[in-house]
Each structure stands twice: as structure tokens, then as C-alpha cells.
Amino acid sequence: MRRDKLLRILVGVCIALAPFVAVGQTKVESKQRTITVDEGRELIYALLKSSGCTRSKCAVDELKDTYFPQFYFFDGSWPNPLGSPHIGSWAVDPATADVWDASVCAEYRGGALAKLQLPLRRRLSLTRQAYTKLKQRPPMCDPGERVEIRTGRY
């Protein structure tokens, strides 16, 4: 009799705690680490470093894109009294720290950008296999369009 009562209490406790255990596991498993908007902005400044664009000379502002809410979008400008102040527009994948041109089907790699991406990806615990699994196409690519890879000076 005593054993049956103890078993019923134990089963009751397990049933009562099950939702909390399941929710905790689900949150941990589904929580993807990402970089912040400010880190995304730093990636754009790193990209522009070779062209002499610094925080004091250029502005990199976040834009919202309702078509691609999973990415950070940025627009760059500088004070150009003789022409357009627009430098460019970029998209950043917060899950992988990839940087793309937000106007055409192109991805940026190398240089100061790559040096900054490496520690960010380490912090995200991105192994090569995990990176490959999360890697996406640039948002401005048509289906089947070849992605242009841009390296060197931007």
C-alpha cells in the first residue's frame, strides 16, 4: 500500500513538472544565436574600411525591409557636396554574419570584413557544418541567378 501511494505521488510530480521541462528544452534547442544590429553595422564599416570610409566620415544607418525581416539592412552615406551622398546599401545575415549587396546578387568576402566575421562566427559557435547549414542566398538574387563574389577593395 505504501509503495503504491509513493508511486502515485512520484507520477503526479512528473506530470506536474513535465510542461516546464519540455518548455525549457524547446527554448534552448530553438534559440539561434545571432549578432546584434550594431555588430552588423560594424561589419559594414569593416567592408568600407579600404575605401577610407570611417565613422567620422560616413554614416551607416539601419533600414527596415518588410520583404526580408530576417536580415539587417543598412544604407551608407557621406557628405558629398558635388554629388550623391549615397555610398551603397547592404544586407547582413544575423545568423552567419554574411554581408551582401542589397541592390544586386552579390556577396562580400575577404579583407577587414573577413577579419571581423571570424570572431563573430566563433562567438555564435558556428562550426563549418553549422555555417553551411545556415548559409542563405543573398536576398536580392533571383532563383537560379549566380551569386557574384566580391573580394578586395569595395
Side-chain angles (χ1 to χ4, degrees):
M1 180 84 172
R2 201 171 196 189
R3 190 171 147 192
D4 290 339
K5 187 175 183 180
L6 183 59
L7 186 58
R8 278 191 300 228
I9 292 172
L10 185 57
V11 168
V13 169
C14 289
I15 290 171
L17 293 177
F20 299 106
V21 173
V23 168
Q25 288 176 349
T26 303
K27 285 184 180 178
V28 170
E29 290 171 1
S30 66
K31 183 71 176 168
Q32 171 63 43
R33 295 180 189 174
T34 60
I35 64 171
T36 65
V37 171
D38 287 335
E39 289 168 328
R41 182 178 288 107
E42 287 303 315
L43 287 168
I44 303 307
Y45 277 115
L47 174 73
L48 298 173
K49 185 177 182 180
S50 64
S51 64
C53 190
T54 63
R55 288 182 171 288
S56 60
K57 294 179 184 177
C58 302
V60 175
D61 300 310
E62 181 187 11
L63 302 172
K64 297 292 182 186
D65 189 309
T66 56
Y67 293 106
F68 303 102
Q70 70 272 32
F71 303 124
Y72 301 143
F73 282 84
F74 299 96
D75 193 52
S77 62
W78 67 293
N80 183 1
L82 303 175
S84 173
H86 187 256
I87 300 169
S89 299
W90 305 273
V92 175
D93 185 340
T96 62
D98 285 335
V99 177
W100 304 298
D101 190 305
S103 302
V104 296
C105 186
E107 180 177 354
Y108 293 100
R109 295 184 186 169
L113 175 62
K115 288 179 183 175
L116 183 56
Q117 285 172 322
L118 186 62
L120 290 174
R121 288 173 178 159
R122 281 189 189 133
R123 197 192 81 229
L124 296 174
S125 301
L126 281 182
T127 62
R128 186 167 291 192
Q129 183 180 14
Y131 173 80
T132 302
K133 186 177 179 181
L134 291 171
K135 176 92 174 135
Q136 298 188 58
R137 287 178 53 78
M140 296 305 159
C141 295
D142 289 328
E145 183 177 3
R146 187 172 163 261
V147 178
E148 176 188 346
I149 304 300
R150 296 180 179 173
T151 59
R153 189 161 189 214
Y154 306 111

